[in-house]
Amino acid sequence: MTTVELDGAAAAYTAGTSVREVARTHGRSVALLYREFRQAGVPLRGRVSAPVDRADEIVAAYAGGMPMRQICARYGVAKSTVGRLVDAAGGQRRPSGKPRRVTWDAVEAAVRADATAKEAAERAGCSPRQVARLLGKLGWKWDGRCWQPPTR
């Protein structure tokens, strides 16, 4: 881009035209235009986040335990926006994903009490396959008939 073209593009950008529109007008990519603006010392505008309507209601709904999916649908915001609002309000974020249905301690206690994997799964509220995975992670070994505790 020549100096004259760059000056024209920078003037349009500084006047408030979006960088995307300036890039389209001058036949450049947005990334290339940003690089040329930086090299020329043109002050760049940062992204401007629009204020969120009813931010206090969103934070209160999250703190009250409303699922993230419902909050996003009700208030028309993204998950990242909810997280940003909760952080700004000094709130505590919940772990993402499904809540854990079973604890390793419950599974191990059931198996130590001579329960089968099926019985342990019923007590812990999970599947026998989940019991097998958990016991394997805890160092238990299947000998073909029953689970053997880890040797310590």
Side-chain angles (χ1 to χ4, degrees), residues 103-129:
T103 62
W104 293 9
D105 296 337
V107 170
E108 190 171 24
V111 173
R112 285 194 185 277
D114 292 328
T116 64
K118 184 177 179 180
E119 293 167 345
E122 288 171 3
R123 289 182 198 170
C126 64
S127 70
R129 181 70 190 123

Side-chain angles (χ1 to χ4, degrees), residues 35-104:
R35 187 172 62 216
E36 289 176 350
F37 282 170
R38 271 190 224 98
Q39 289 173 350
V42 175
L44 300 177
R45 299 185 301 257
R47 284 190 174 199
V48 177
S49 296
V52 178
D53 293 334
R54 305 186 316 181
D56 53 340
E57 289 179 35
I58 293 171
V59 172
Y62 185 85
M66 181 183 281
M68 183 71 81
R69 189 175 310 166
Q70 287 179 5
I71 294 171
C72 294
R74 177 178 290 173
Y75 296 101
V77 295
K79 287 171 48 174
S80 59
T81 301
V82 175
R84 183 172 39 85
L85 293 172
V86 169
D87 289 346
Q92 185 93 10
R93 285 202 199 189
R94 298 187 298 257
S96 62
K98 290 184 178 179
R100 227 186 174 139
R101 289 182 25 187
V102 62
T103 62
W104 293 9

